[in-house]
Amino acid sequence: MSEQRTYIVLLGVPGAGKGTQAKLLEQALGLPQISTGDIFRYNLKHETELGKLAKSYMDRGDLVPDEVTIRMVEERLQQPDCARGAIMDGFPRNLVQAAAFDKMTAPYGGVKVAPLIQVDDEETIRRITGRRTCRTCGAVYHILYNPPKVAGVCDIDGGELYQREDDKEETVRNRLYVYYKQTAPLIGYYFAKGLLREIDGTQSIEEVQNALIAVIREAQPA
Ligand code: ADP
Ligand code: ADP
């Protein structure tokens, strides 16, 4: 049998706290966060071919086509920092991507656990509309719930905090629609495999983190 790796799939509506938690888990578990949204935003900023392709989809709040996204993740997983596994944040996002991810990870034992961070729609909207993101390092803040020490400035690298174009209300509505239509079916998909773990995402950032670490440790005994 080939080596086992730890692949964790974070599920949850946009704004649930996946990115915030993935960044903390990265430190706690020593596994890299793979955020397809962050990779697309990096490409957008640097005006790469991939960025140009992704832009119109992201501006509308639609999913970037599967072939492009799947290939991008496949390449990312081959980087040396992914040799022990990865924390997936925003991928897979529909059933086609989930099947492709199963195939990619099958030689290493497949997905270990799929925690679902649950928050209701009202809280989601409050979180997304107050979200601010660092232009340089991608760190995520909230103007009320998780403010930076100095307004508008990233605690980590001093970068400028901005509101993502797709965090404005019109696009948010479409992103929620896309989530329920395309991404929510993954809940049943991972439940059927016995991998789904529900986490109350309305708790504090620290409490959610502790709950996540508990379900991950349970799935992956030391
Ligand atoms: P959020 O953190 O609010 O859930 P993301 O940063 O994950 O948002 O995604 C932002 C946008 O990037 C999405 O609306 C979509 O256009 C694109 N995107 C991110 N991940 C994927 C994916 N797995 N498949 C297709 N498109 C994606
Ligand atoms: P996602 O990646 O699922 O779209 P984010 O991690 O970007 O979500 O979080 C969305 C917003 O909610 C951010 O502004 C973040 O600071 C805030 N947030 C995340 N987790 C919590 C929490 N447990 N309580 C309050 N606000 C939170």
Side-chain angles (χ1 to χ4, degrees):
M1 202 173 77
S2 71
E3 89 206 80
Q4 293 287 301
R5 294 184 179 180
T6 305
Y7 291 108
I8 298 160
V9 172
L10 293 183
L11 297 172
V13 69
K18 301 181 297 297
T20 301
Q21 294 299 333
K23 285 198 167 64
L24 293 170
L25 282 178
E26 204 169 43
Q27 294 158 19
L29 305 175
L31 292 172
Q33 166 199 22
I34 298 188
S35 161
T36 40
D38 283 354
I39 303 176
F40 285 133
R41 276 185 291 281
Y42 177 89
N43 279 278
L44 223 66
K45 186 169 132 192
H46 293 89
E47 297 181 355
T48 66
E49 282 309 309
L50 178 62
K52 284 179 205 156
L53 187 149
K55 185 176 180 351
S56 60
Y57 298 97
M58 293 177 79
D59 284 349
R60 286 195 303 271
D62 288 336
L63 297 186
V64 178
D66 288 336
E67 325 71 91
V68 176
T69 308
I70 290 166
R71 199 177 335 118
M72 181 176 91
V73 170
E74 233 158 9
E75 282 170 17
R76 180 67 187 86
L77 287 178
Q78 280 159 23
Q79 300 298 310
D81 62 326
C82 299
R84 290 180 47 243
I87 303 156
M88 306 306 295
D89 163 17
F91 181 95
R93 224 173 175 101
N94 62 25
L95 291 169
V96 172
Q97 294 181 7
F101 192 57
D102 277 350
K103 229 172 161 180
M104 276 179 232
T105 58
Y108 310 106
V111 173
K112 282 283 167 310
V113 63
L116 169 64
I117 304 176
Q118 289 184 302
V119 296
D120 61 39
D121 282 357
E122 265 174 53
E123 178 64 11
T124 290
I125 305 271
R126 274 197 292 273
R127 287 190 182 181
I128 294 186
T129 47
R131 170 159 59 189
R132 297 294 181 271
T133 307
C134 175
R135 220 178 259 293
T136 42
C137 76
V140 174
Y141 298 86
H142 190 283
I143 48 173
L144 302 175
Y145 304 150
N146 184 27
K149 291 196 181 85
V150 178
V153 180
C154 179
D155 292 348
I156 299 166
D157 69 351
E160 180 207 355
L161 302 185
Y162 77 111
Q163 182 174 37
R164 278 167 43 181
E165 212 31 66
D166 62 347
D167 276 352
K168 310 223 162 119
E169 202 180 331
E170 186 55 36
T171 320
V172 169
R173 234 175 286 134
N174 188 46
R175 281 164 61 209
L176 290 180
Y177 173 77
V178 169
Y179 172 82
Y180 285 112
K181 204 169 157 146
Q182 304 204 46
T183 311
L186 296 186
I187 296 170
Y189 182 84
Y190 288 113
F191 177 79
K193 290 173 177 284
L195 298 174
L196 191 78
R197 300 288 182 276
E198 293 175 52
I199 306 272
D200 175 5
T202 62
Q203 307 174 91
S204 71
I205 291 176
E206 198 187 343
E207 285 165 332
V208 176
Q209 177 70 187
N210 291 337
L212 275 170
I213 291 178
V215 299
I216 292 166
R217 295 240 190 276
E218 201 180 53
Q220 177 81 352

